Amino acid sequence: MNEMSAKPAGAPLERRIVRVDLADRSYNILIHQGLIDEAGAEIAARMPGVRLAVVSDETVAGLHLERLSLSLKAAGIEHVPVIVPAGEGTKSYDGLIRVVEAVIEARLERGDAVLALGGGVVGDLAGFAAAVTRRGMGFIQMPTSLLAQVDSSVGGKTGINSPQGKNLVGAFHQPALVLADTALLDTLSPREFAAGYAEVVKYGLIDRPDFFEWLDANRQSVFAGGTARTEAIALSCEAKAAVVAADEHEGGVRALLNLGHTFGHALEKFAAYDTARLVHGEGVAIGMALAHRYSATEGLCPEGDVARVEAHLKACGLPTRIQDIPGNAPSVEALMQAISQDKKVARGKLTFILTRGIGRAFIARDVDAGHIANFLSTELAA
Amino acid sequence: MNEMSAKPAGAPLERRIVRVDLADRSYNILIHQGLIDEAGAEIAARMPGVRLAVVSDETVAGLHLERLSLSLKAAGIEHVPVIVPAGEGTKSYDGLIRVVEAVIEARLERGDAVLALGGGVVGDLAGFAAAVTRRGMGFIQMPTSLLAQVDSSVGGKTGINSPQGKNLVGAFHQPALVLADTALLDTLSPREFAAGYAEVVKYGLIDRPDFFEWLDANRQSVFAGGTARTEAIALSCEAKAAVVAADEHEGGVRALLNLGHTFGHALEKFAAYDTARLVHGEGVAIGMALAHRYSATEGLCPEGDVARVEAHLKACGLPTRIQDIPGNAPSVEALMQAISQDKKVARGKLTFILTRGIGRAFIARDVDAGHIANFLSTELAA
Ligand SMILES: NC(=O)c1ccc[n+]([C@@H]2O[C@H](COP(=O)([O-])OP(=O)(O)OC[C@H]3O[C@@H](n4cnc5c(N)ncnc54)[C@H](O)[C@@H]3O)[C@@H](O)[C@H]2O)c1
Ligand SMILES: NC(=O)c1ccc[n+]([C@@H]2O[C@H](COP(=O)([O-])OP(=O)(O)OC[C@H]3O[C@@H](n4cnc5c(N)ncnc54)[C@H](O)[C@@H]3O)[C@@H](O)[C@H]2O)c1
Ligand SMILES: [Zn+2]
Ligand SMILES: [Zn+2]
């Protein structure tokens, strides 16, 4: 497997660096335990004289901001905290205005930077604020959820939600640096950790069968923390970085990252984005299971692979069936409507990420909406 | 003079095309009278199947939207109007949200486009909305004020104002096409025309002495309209396009475009952005006169050039002295505070665009704040 053998023999597993290759916007992702204490030094070495607005949510700030602040102070980096409420509701116009105005108020210039300390919500919001304040400021990601460390902090998508739909307003704005301290995940709830892990498995399922094998063998160590976790995060970042480098603005292969997401988004919408019922990664887990089962009914994916994927997700405590969502079940019609809103429907044909087996996902641009509807009624009747 | 001789001999002056050279973001500016009636055909030829949100302000929409709409319809281009109030107040968070939500509501996709029909306010606002809706949609400029045709529609700066200051929130987002119908300027107020003309003269004063000579000889024809106006607009666009191509994101030479603007912005701020007292181009006219006079007091610029610049601006009906602003005069302190807010002050040194004579402007990074203050008190006492 390419990305595993690319690691220099004998290098300690504990400290990993992944390069995101984007010409003059290339950057490094540093990954290891305890990195938060070195954040100041790492930033000062790369951006001498930079001043920072540190955006975080109330939960994460309460847990980790003081340590970051000490590290920044030790490196002589001036910074102001900008604390927003935790939760998806903060990725809104109001949240954006609040962060932008705080950054201007702090008199930061274009050469200064916004640092996001938090999960995907804080990263998306702070990154978008950095993209539009003074027509573009520096940006540093310090992801604190597993989902943010393996997915949202890599690739430069930033944004907020519109009342009309999720992530409809935003910008591509690459960070200058990503600092992923894997030990910060120790304070994450087991449910959020598992949800983020769904995106880790996703990379294996898309095109890295060896990574899936490795996860299947090392799942418990990854959940336990330590070296295996750092390794899983680094391999995930490499997988995402490779796709992003090939297709920065999502014109082609980047769509593969949506494996499980068309179904997943429809389920999140059905659950009215009530995270007590379903968080994003759980929707993705169900969506990936559905994508594999649908691919099997279409004769594309071996049944044995479907069973392995389902067993792996279940072992992680992740849901795999629509009925696993607590509360009432959706109708086929409601799901189909959500699916066709998520994707442009051209003459009854949908674009889905389907698969020929573990690590063999592909973009299918002509999926028959009728087939999907039939499949979903079978699923819901089961 | 380069840009004048570059025009192929014998080509009709009436239709001009200026290319903005920005690698894969290059685009054309089409400039001629009556272009609005060909807008549909020009757009359809370049962006087949595109659908449009046409953003305009109430004033411009009342005058010109129907004609544009007919042209779009004739070319089979689906479009929805998005009308905002006229005036700088529309370049706000509320204005942005209104346009973005209307574009999403119209179910436009990333391949569709936002078209700005209006002055710089509409262009900046609509361009920013295009930059952030669905992380970046197509954008077409159809500037209707002289300022917009020669300045704001070229170069990709888009944005809105923050309560803390002008243009503090925005993005670089280049248009795919600029359509400047010079006949639309016939409905512009003479005062707005003259204000926009200040930016035309600016290009001559920066580094195109031959253009200044030509304007000095043809000023009346330019104001009258017709071929000379089209020519002046095309040469201005060429001048701006050259600077933008050399420095897209304002790291260097693009700062030259700020000739007259540091003083001008301070005066606009002093007049509380009350356009009854001072519009932007008038502030720039006074600012350019001040920059020349200050350069003369520093022994940089010949007095004869100062006199020519002042005479030219006055002949256009533009102000040249701070005292030309109706109402009370500002204090030196108020102006100096506004100037140091506009520019980063490093140890009492300011960055200004100064000049060694007509067409010989340069970036001066170490202007003594005390010298400027002395100069301003002499000006105000005169
Ligand atoms: N930009 C992208 O490419 C991209 C990709 C995927 C997802 N996303 C976005 O990411 C968001 C979801 O990210 P998320 O799951 O991280 O959500 P989140 O940021 O809301 O974090 C989830 C919860 O965990 C808490 N938390 C985070 N780190 C913690 C820690 N170390 N200890 C204790 N609690 C912690 C947060 O306060 C929050 O309550 C969504 O808005 C989604 O749209 C973006
Ligand atoms: N993006 C840039 O690079 C850039 C450069 C310079 C200025 N600007 C911005 O441009 C704005 C000023 O532009 P402006 O002077 O065009 O202001 P504007 O858009 O407010 O237009 C001035 C007035 O003229 C009216 N108008 C416009 N076209 C007309 C027409 N053909 N007939 C009759 N009335 C017409 C408008 O309704 C408005 O009332 C400012 O917000 C400034 O910050 C941007
Ligand atoms: Zn996801
Ligand atoms: Zn100007």
Side-chain angles (χ1 to χ4, degrees):
Chain A
M1 190 174 140
N2 221 1
E3 70 277 11
M4 297 188 75
S5 55
K7 180 165 49 68
L13 279 178
E14 290 76 12
R15 291 178 166 256
R16 295 293 303 272
I17 300 181
V18 175
R19 178 101 182 141
V20 185
D21 235 316
L22 292 165
D24 61 334
R25 293 180 311 294
S26 298
Y27 55 95
N28 284 334
I29 308 171
L30 311 192
I31 308 162
H32 63 82
Q33 300 181 57
L35 179 53
I36 195 167
D37 299 319
E38 299 163 29
E42 295 289 357
I43 295 166
R46 286 174 178 80
M47 309 166 92
V50 75
R51 297 188 307 141
L52 301 178
V54 177
V55 182
S56 194
D57 72 28
E58 283 159 6
T59 307
V60 176
L63 292 163
H64 304 294
L65 181 58
E66 200 182 325
R67 232 171 117 193
L68 174 61
S69 197
L70 284 175
S71 164
L72 295 175
K73 269 185 206 140
I77 298 175
E78 272 184 57
H79 57 284
V80 290
V82 181
I83 313 298
V84 296
E88 189 71 29
T90 290
K91 264 178 62 175
S92 63
Y93 288 119
D94 281 352
L96 176 74
I97 294 169
R98 185 163 164 175
V99 175
V100 168
E101 291 297 313
V103 173
I104 298 171
E105 176 79 34
R107 299 189 138 265
L108 298 191
E109 309 274 335
R110 262 174 86 187
D112 294 325
V114 176
L115 183 151
L117 175 73
V121 163
V122 163
D124 282 11
L125 174 68
F128 188 33
V132 300
T133 307
R134 299 180 178 278
R135 291 202 190 87
M137 300 183 46
F139 178 43
I140 298 169
Q141 285 270 22
M142 185 123 196
T144 65
S145 71
L146 180 54
L147 182 138
Q149 294 193 349
V150 299
D151 188 355
S152 62
S153 70
V154 181
K157 277 195 189 177
T158 71
I160 57 173
N161 304 320
S162 148
Q164 300 182 63
K166 277 198 59 171
N167 297 322
L168 287 175
V169 185
F172 285 91
H173 192 60
Q174 300 292 347
L177 181 64
V178 182
L179 300 172
D181 183 342
T182 54
L184 298 187
L185 304 182
D186 292 338
T187 57
L188 197 64
S189 73
R191 190 179 168 204
E192 290 287 356
F193 189 91
Y197 181 80
E199 309 277 4
V200 174
V201 187
K202 186 184 74 176
Y203 298 116
L205 296 178
I206 290 172
D207 62 354
R208 302 193 172 215
D210 295 359
F211 184 37
F212 179 82
E213 294 301 332
W214 184 85
L215 289 171
D216 217 27
N218 295 279
R219 178 183 51 75
Q220 282 172 312
S221 330
V222 171
F223 274 69
T227 303
R229 182 195 282 173
T230 298
E231 185 66 8
I233 292 169
L235 293 174
S236 297
C237 288
E238 277 178 14
K240 179 146 186 191
V243 174
V244 168
D247 177 17
E248 185 176 2
H249 294 142
E250 195 157 22
V253 291
R254 192 159 174 168
L256 286 171
L257 297 176
N258 289 329
L259 175 63
H261 279 65
T262 301
F263 287 125
H265 287 154
L267 295 172
E268 281 184 275
K269 185 156 204 175
F270 152 70
Y273 300 101
D274 174 359
T275 52
R277 290 183 72 189
L278 190 75
V279 299
H280 174 74
E282 293 167 345
V284 172
I286 301 175
M288 290 192 300
L290 289 172
H292 280 75
R293 287 201 291 275
Y294 178 77
S295 298
T297 64
E298 295 284 303
L300 292 162
C301 176
E303 291 288 354
D305 283 11
V306 177
R308 285 197 71 194
V309 172
E310 287 174 341
H312 186 89
L313 295 172
K314 275 183 202 156
C316 300
L318 284 165
T320 57
R321 292 155 33 100
I322 300 173
Q323 291 89 332
D324 292 339
I325 304 171
N328 62 319
S331 67
V332 173
E333 294 67 40
L335 289 180
M336 287 308 294
Q337 208 189 317
I339 285 170
S340 52
Q341 262 172 28
D342 192 56
K343 297 281 154 192
K344 196 169 174 170
V345 193
R347 286 171 295 277
K349 298 291 186 184
L350 296 163
T351 296
F352 264 86
I353 311 305
L354 299 182
T355 186
R356 298 197 173 83
I358 289 168
R360 301 183 61 203
F362 65 98
I363 305 171
R365 300 201 189 277
D366 55 352
V367 176
D368 191 287
H371 286 209
I372 296 284
N374 284 344
F375 167 73
L376 287 174
S377 34
T378 316
E379 284 282 323
L380 286 165
Chain B
M1 188 175 140
N2 220 358
E3 70 281 8
M4 298 188 77
S5 55
K7 181 165 49 67
L13 279 177
E14 291 76 13
R15 291 179 165 254
R16 296 292 304 272
I17 300 181
V18 174
R19 177 99 182 142
V20 185
D21 237 314
L22 292 165
D24 61 334
R25 293 179 312 293
S26 298
Y27 54 95
N28 284 334
I29 308 170
L30 311 192
I31 308 162
H32 63 82
Q33 300 181 56
L35 179 53
I36 194 167
D37 299 320
E38 300 163 29
E42 295 290 356
I43 294 166
R46 285 172 178 80
M47 308 166 91
V50 76
R51 298 187 306 141
L52 300 178
V54 177
V55 182
S56 194
D57 73 27
E58 283 158 6
T59 307
V60 176
L63 292 162
H64 304 295
L65 181 58
E66 200 180 325
R67 231 170 118 193
L68 173 61
S69 198
L70 284 174
S71 164
L72 295 174
K73 269 184 204 141
I77 298 175
E78 273 183 55
H79 57 284
V80 289
V82 181
I83 313 300
V84 295
E88 189 71 29
T90 290
K91 264 178 62 176
S92 63
Y93 289 119
D94 282 353
L96 175 74
I97 294 170
R98 185 164 163 175
V99 176
V100 168
E101 291 297 313
V103 173
I104 297 171
E105 176 79 34
R107 297 190 139 267
L108 298 190
E109 308 275 337
R110 262 174 87 186
D112 295 323
V114 176
L115 184 151
L117 175 74
V121 163
V122 164
D124 282 11
L125 174 69
F128 188 35
V132 300
T133 307
R134 297 180 179 280
R135 291 203 190 86
M137 300 184 46
F139 178 42
I140 298 168
Q141 287 270 23
M142 184 123 198
T144 65
S145 71
L146 180 55
L147 182 137
Q149 293 193 350
V150 301
D151 188 355
S152 62
S153 70
V154 181
K157 275 195 189 178
T158 71
I160 57 173
N161 304 321
S162 147
Q164 300 183 62
K166 278 198 62 171
N167 297 322
L168 287 176
V169 185
F172 284 91
H173 192 59
Q174 300 292 346
L177 181 65
V178 182
L179 301 172
D181 182 342
T182 54
L184 298 187
L185 304 182
D186 291 339
T187 57
L188 197 65
S189 73
R191 187 177 170 207
E192 290 286 357
F193 189 93
Y197 181 82
E199 309 277 5
V200 174
V201 187
K202 186 184 73 176
Y203 298 117
L205 296 178
I206 290 173
D207 61 355
R208 302 193 171 215
D210 295 359
F211 184 37
F212 180 81
E213 294 301 333
W214 183 86
L215 289 171
D216 217 27
N218 295 279
R219 179 182 51 73
Q220 281 172 314
S221 330
V222 171
F223 274 69
T227 302
R229 182 194 283 174
T230 298
E231 186 66 7
I233 292 170
L235 293 174
S236 297
C237 288
E238 277 177 14
K240 178 145 186 191
V243 175
V244 169
D247 179 16
E248 184 176 2
H249 294 142
E250 194 156 23
V253 291
R254 192 160 175 166
L256 286 172
L257 297 175
N258 289 330
L259 176 62
H261 279 66
T262 301
F263 287 124
H265 288 154
L267 295 171
E268 282 184 274
K269 186 157 202 170
F270 153 69
Y273 301 100
D274 175 359
T275 53
R277 291 183 71 188
L278 191 75
V279 298
H280 174 74
E282 292 168 346
V284 171
I286 301 175
M288 291 191 300
L290 289 171
H292 280 76
R293 287 201 291 275
Y294 178 77
S295 298
T297 63
E298 296 283 304
L300 292 162
C301 177
E303 292 288 354
D305 284 11
V306 176
R308 286 198 69 194
V309 171
E310 287 174 341
H312 186 88
L313 294 172
K314 276 184 202 155
C316 300
L318 284 165
T320 58
R321 293 155 32 101
I322 299 173
Q323 292 87 332
D324 292 341
I325 304 171
N328 62 320
S331 67
V332 173
E333 293 68 39
L335 288 180
M336 286 309 293
Q337 208 189 318
I339 284 170
S340 52
Q341 263 172 30
D342 193 55
K343 297 280 153 194
K344 195 169 175 169
V345 194
R347 286 170 298 275
K349 297 291 185 185
L350 296 163
T351 296
F352 263 86
I353 311 304
L354 299 182
T355 186
R356 298 196 173 84
I358 288 169
R360 300 182 62 202
F362 65 97
I363 305 171
R365 299 199 189 278
D366 55 353
V367 176
D368 192 288
H371 286 210
I372 295 284
N374 285 344
F375 167 72
L376 287 174
S377 35
T378 316
E379 283 283 323
L380 285 165

